[in-house]
């Protein structure tokens, strides 16, 4: 058996959406270490997590307090995901922690940023013990040499890397069809979106340069690009939340942007989901009511649903395998279940255009496989146009076309590329 100095031991802790990471993290913060990690007792650890980064973002946005950057430096909000994580890691290292806990550090990173962070962590691991919480097995750092899993907050050592967690899609999804829309759909033009030489800049910083992108009815697109390439800017012009589209050759649903349509009229024709949306639903809404609320795009349901609406909700819950939980509170679901439900909610009205922004970020292999299968099925069995944004080449995703934003000094240019193999 190979032996290691304690400082040379690095744990890969496999988690899924029922692992209860919060309980484990609280125990570490309180100094309550499981027996296998007892050698870390007395050492001050640092957390490299999404919550840690959001804490500093809140400090900056609400109180104008810059902690990760210099007072006159670039704001965190204006940085790409890779730049934000580099700043957080630099801040952590200045405190010389006794160990570092990483929670899915590669989420939302493009390949280049992921490789950069991996190399930095490899150097750090020569001096500092690393604990890595792992949802996706291919994200495991190469220097990891001990393995464990989390079950209901309990740390359970493993003799070896577990077998792949990915599974075949739910039998229900194979057997059932996507429920039809409850209400008749308006006429859908052949071309839903047309960017014609659209450019965006903020001050002297150029973001997008002469974007040409034509999106037709019923098409399934994947939008890719490096961190900071302008994907979020592009989506925000589609949702109507970014005024940069006004005065340019941007056409939505056959109408030029800024010629009379309101944001609410645009939202009626769109469905949208990004993981941060789940934070808005802090009330105790049943799964049934969550699905119904997708028909009106409301946060919660404040009117009594009709019989037809409840039957539609039941059909969607049956499709995603959650019908037995229809009266359960959304608040009580695991991460994977929440994402499945929110994807169904975004699709329940069969919008003309459905935008899914990094929907698998932070999910385990099993749940991500199910969500990808659901997205493929919705694209195949409806005339809704889908745009799926992801840094990952998700196994099994079947877009018709791929649009890539390629960064240049003059701003990102876009082009259709061959689908990833």
């Amino acid at each position: 058996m190979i032996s290691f100095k304690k400082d040379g031991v690095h744990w890969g802790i496999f988690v899924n959406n029922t692992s209860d990471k919060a309980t484990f993290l609280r125990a570490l913060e309180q100094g309550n270490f499981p027996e296998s990690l007892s050698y870390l007792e007395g050492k001050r650890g640092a957390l490299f997590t999404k919550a840690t980064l959001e804490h500093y973002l809140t400090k900056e946005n609400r109180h104008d307090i810059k902690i990760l950057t210099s007072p006159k430096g670039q704001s965190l909000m204006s940085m790409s995901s890779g730049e934000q994580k580099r700043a957080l890691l630099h801040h952590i290292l200045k405190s010389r922690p006794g160990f570092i806990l990483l929670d899915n550090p590669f989420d939302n990173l493009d390949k280049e940023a992921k490789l950069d962070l991996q190399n930095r962590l490899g150097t750090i691991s020569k001096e500092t013990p690393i604990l890595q919480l792992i949802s996706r097995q291919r994200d495991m750092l190469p220097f990891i040499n001990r393995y464990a899993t989390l079950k209901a907050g309990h740390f359970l050592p493993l003799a070896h890397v577990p077998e792949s967690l990915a599974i075949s899609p739910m039998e229900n999804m194979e057997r059932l069809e996507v429920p039809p829309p409850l209400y008749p759909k308006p006429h859908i033009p052949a071309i839903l979106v047309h960017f014609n030489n659209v450019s965006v800049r903020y001050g002297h910083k150029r973001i997008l340069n002469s974007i040409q992108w034509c999106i037709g009815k019923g098409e399934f697109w994947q939008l890719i690009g490096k961190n900071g390439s302008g994907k979020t800017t592009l989506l925000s012009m589609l949702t109507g939340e970014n005024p940069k589209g006004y005065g340019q050759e941007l056409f939505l649903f056959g109408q030029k942007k800024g010629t009379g349509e309101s944001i609410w009229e645009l939202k009626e024709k769109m469905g949208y989901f990004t993981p941060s949306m789940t934070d808005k639903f802090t009330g105790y809404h049943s799964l049934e009511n969550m699905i119904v609320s997708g028909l009106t795009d409301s946060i919660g349901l404040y009117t009594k649903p009709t019989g037809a609406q409840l039957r539609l909700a039941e059909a969607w819950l049956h499709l995603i395998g959650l019908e037995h939980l229809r009266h359960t509170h959304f608040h009580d679901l695991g991460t994977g279940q929440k994402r499945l439900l929110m994807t169904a909610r975004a699709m329940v009205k069969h919008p003309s255009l459905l935008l899914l922004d990094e929907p698998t970020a932070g999910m385990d292999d099993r749940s991500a496989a199910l969500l990808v299968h659901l997205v493929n099925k919705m694209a195949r069995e409806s005339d809704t146009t889908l745009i799926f944004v992801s840094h990952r080449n998700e196994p099994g995703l079947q877009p018709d076309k791929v649009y890539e934003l390629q960064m240049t000094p003059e701003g990102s240019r876009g082009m259709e590329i061959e689908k990833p193999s």
Side-chain angles (χ1 to χ4, degrees):
M1 178 181 294
I2 299 175
S3 61
F4 296 87
K5 295 188 304 178
K6 288 302 183 183
D7 285 349
V9 172
H10 307 290
W11 286 88
I13 306 168
F14 295 93
V15 298
N16 58 38
N17 295 313
T18 60
S19 289
D20 190 5
K21 292 188 291 187
T23 294
F24 177 66
L25 292 177
R26 280 197 301 272
L28 294 188
E29 288 179 320
Q30 295 167 2
N32 299 322
F33 292 86
E35 182 178 351
S36 298
L37 300 179
S38 60
Y39 65 94
L40 296 176
E41 289 181 358
K43 293 188 175 184
R44 183 176 53 80
L47 301 183
F48 186 95
T49 69
K50 178 183 176 183
T52 308
L53 191 54
E54 287 178 346
H55 168 74
Y56 291 117
L57 279 165
T58 299
K59 286 271 190 182
E60 184 176 290
N61 293 338
R62 293 184 181 177
H63 310 294
D64 197 26
I65 301 174
K66 290 183 178 179
I67 298 176
L68 301 191
T69 60
S70 64
K72 295 184 179 180
Q74 184 179 0
S75 68
L76 279 177
M77 185 60 71
S78 67
M79 291 180 175
S80 68
S81 296
E83 291 169 333
Q84 289 177 348
K85 291 188 176 185
R86 194 178 299 120
L88 175 60
L89 186 59
H90 179 71
H91 177 74
I92 284 174
L93 293 178
K94 286 194 297 185
S95 67
R96 303 184 65 82
F99 65 93
I100 300 175
L101 186 140
L102 310 167
D103 184 4
N104 289 312
F106 302 127
D107 274 351
N108 303 112
L109 295 187
D110 57 47
K111 292 180 181 179
E112 187 175 297
K114 177 179 177 180
L115 181 61
D116 176 69
L117 180 58
Q118 181 175 296
N119 290 338
R120 288 170 180 265
L121 291 170
T123 300
I124 293 166
S125 70
K126 297 174 183 178
E127 303 290 337
T128 307
I130 300 289
L131 310 178
Q132 182 189 6
L133 296 178
I134 305 169
S135 294
R136 311 295 290 271
Q137 288 202 21
R138 53 186 164 153
D139 284 348
M140 184 168 63
L141 289 161
F143 54 79
I144 294 296
N145 49 36
R146 290 289 188 273
Y147 312 104
T149 187
L150 272 189
K151 289 188 177 179
H154 298 291
F155 182 91
L156 304 174
L158 298 172
H160 50 74
V161 177
E163 295 180 3
S164 175
L165 300 177
I167 63 168
S168 300
M170 276 190 276
E171 181 181 343
N172 271 2
M173 289 192 194
E174 296 287 354
R175 180 170 52 86
L176 300 174
E177 295 182 354
V178 169
L182 184 60
Y183 309 116
K185 296 190 66 177
H187 169 72
I188 302 174
I191 302 299
L192 266 70
V193 179
H194 185 197
F195 289 87
N196 184 23
N197 288 325
V198 173
S199 299
V200 173
R201 65 189 300 165
Y202 292 99
H204 296 294
K205 186 173 183 180
R206 298 176 179 179
I207 308 299
L208 300 175
N209 183 9
S210 300
I211 296 298
Q212 291 276 6
W213 190 14
C214 193
I215 303 170
K217 173 182 176 180
E219 293 178 346
F220 179 11
W221 286 85
Q222 183 178 11
L223 174 61
I224 64 175
K226 294 181 178 180
N227 294 122
S229 61
K231 297 187 300 299
T232 299
T233 299
L234 206 61
L235 288 186
S236 66
M237 286 194 287
L238 292 179
T239 60
E241 295 172 354
N242 189 328
K244 293 292 184 178
Y246 293 106
Q248 301 202 61
E249 294 290 304
L250 171 57
F251 297 84
L252 303 177
F253 309 108
Q255 186 174 1
K256 186 176 180 180
K257 185 71 178 290
T259 57
E261 86 289 353
S262 69
I263 289 180
W264 300 111
E265 288 171 333
L266 290 176
K267 288 183 180 296
E268 286 178 358
K269 300 173 184 177
M270 291 187 189
Y272 178 64
F273 172 60
T274 188
S276 62
M277 287 177 62
T278 59
D279 298 334
K280 297 179 180 179
F281 293 89
T282 55
Y284 290 90
H285 310 289
S286 72
L287 305 197
E288 201 171 54
N289 286 354
M290 284 288 293
I291 293 289
V292 174
S293 72
L295 295 170
T296 57
D297 297 309
S298 60
I299 299 178
L301 190 64
Y302 304 102
T303 59
K304 185 176 180 180
T306 66
Q309 289 174 333
L310 291 175
R311 287 191 294 272
L312 180 62
E314 182 179 2
W316 273 102
L317 291 172
H318 192 34
L319 175 67
I320 62 177
L322 297 179
E323 72 280 1
H324 62 295
L325 299 174
R326 64 183 182 276
H327 298 307
T328 299
H329 291 144
F330 177 74
H331 181 271
D332 296 328
L333 294 184
T335 300
Q337 293 173 321
K338 285 181 177 179
R339 300 285 178 82
L340 281 173
L341 185 88
M342 291 295 287
T343 302
R345 177 183 178 275
M347 182 64 185
V348 67
K349 64 181 182 181
H350 281 245
S352 299
L353 178 63
L354 177 60
L355 308 175
L356 301 173
D357 188 5
E358 299 280 359
T360 58
M363 295 179 76
D364 60 38
D365 286 328
R366 179 187 301 261
S367 298
L370 294 174
L371 190 142
V372 164
H373 186 70
L374 175 62
V375 171
N376 288 337
K377 186 177 182 69
M378 294 189 309
R380 188 171 62 246
E381 298 181 11
S382 76
D383 58 7
T384 291
T385 297
L386 275 81
I387 300 178
F388 187 104
V389 184
S390 178
H391 287 98
R392 295 177 181 274
N393 179 15
E394 285 291 354
L397 190 69
Q398 299 171 352
D400 302 320
K401 304 177 180 181
V402 178
Y403 192 79
E404 182 178 23
L405 292 177
Q406 300 176 342
M407 299 176 73
T408 77
E410 293 76 34
S412 293
R413 300 186 70 93
M415 66 178 297
E416 184 177 344
I417 65 170
E418 292 185 7
K419 292 187 291 185
S421 58

